[in-house]
Amino acid sequence: MKITLNGEPRDVTGRNLADLLEELGQGEARVATAVNEQFVPAGRRATTVLSPGDRVEIVAPRQGG
């Protein structure tokens, strides 16, 4: 399915947000996620179903100042 991931078009196989993170090798990573500009907490990723055309953002925390 085609989605937009962090602003770039991408073909993915994951059907929900948790599957997508696994597909990207970030299943255990501490990241913030949003689908179509709506924040998705970690506990809701497995139930957040993705659809073609969705806009997904995955952001890793950064340290520094």
Side-chain angles (χ1 to χ4, degrees):
M1 134 178 61
K2 290 188 182 288
I3 64 168
T4 300
L5 177 62
N6 292 345
E8 299 292 327
R10 181 129 182 195
D11 282 315
V12 299
T13 59
R15 295 291 174 200
N16 63 49
L17 190 52
D19 290 344
L20 175 62
L21 288 171
E22 286 293 330
E23 180 179 337
L24 298 172
Q26 296 187 30
E28 298 297 319
R30 293 186 148 225
V31 294
T33 54
V35 175
N36 299 324
E37 288 84 39
Q38 296 294 313
F39 172 72
V40 179
R44 289 193 21 229
R45 291 176 183 160
T47 59
T48 301
V49 177
L50 298 175
S51 299
D54 278 349
R55 296 172 314 279
V56 179
E57 296 291 327
I58 301 171
V59 181
R62 297 178 69 178
Q63 288 187 329

